Structures are given as C-alpha cells and as structure tokens.
Amino acid sequence: MDVRELRAALRAAHVPDGYYWIEGVHEPAPTPTDFMYLRRIEDGAWEVGAYERGTRHPVARHDDETAACEDLFRQLA
C-alpha cells in the first residue's frame, strides 16, 4: 500500500477527513486541532504520529511506505 492507496482505503472505511493528515496526499484545510499523521522524515523513513494542539507526537517510525501506511490504517479504521 502506498499513500494514495491509503487515502482511498480510509475513505472506503468512512474515516472522517479531519481525523488524519497524509503529507502531500491529504492535508485538510483548515488544519484540524488534533489528528493522526503520516509523513516522510529527513532520513527517508516514514513517521506515524498524533498531532495535538500544535505539536507532533511521533508514535512509530517505519523504513518503508507500506508498513507506515498499514500502521496508520490499523489505527484509524
């Protein structure tokens, strides 16, 4: 699964748009106060975390996109 497939899977599972943010694929505006996120970090790894009150809180780090997408999907669906 890649980030675009993740977006489609979350929509199919009826996860509300404001519950998550996927860098470059789904970035709701205005930005919700709290949400789960998936982003690529500086060393090429992927970070899954929670964004709360303006602060990112990393939950997991993955070396590949598929594992990161599956992790976020499990947490939200």
Side-chain angles (χ1 to χ4, degrees):
M1 178 184 306
D2 67 20
V3 291
R4 295 193 191 295
E5 293 168 327
L6 171 61
R7 168 74 167 131
L10 290 169
R11 292 193 89 192
H14 304 289
V15 177
D17 285 346
Y19 284 17
Y20 61 96
W21 183 91
I22 303 169
E23 183 177 61
V25 175
H26 176 70
E27 299 177 7
T31 303
T33 305
D34 304 311
F35 55 88
M36 294 298 294
Y37 69 85
L38 172 60
R39 69 182 184 135
R40 183 163 243 175
I41 53 179
E42 64 279 346
D43 63 358
W46 294 85
E47 181 178 272
V48 174
Y51 182 89
E52 297 175 302
R53 299 183 200 148
T55 303
R56 283 190 174 98
H57 302 279
V59 174
R61 174 190 162 100
H62 300 279
D63 291 329
D64 72 43
E65 183 177 6
T66 297
C69 290
E70 290 171 352
D71 183 10
L72 185 61
F73 185 80
R74 276 191 306 273
Q75 290 187 50
L76 292 170

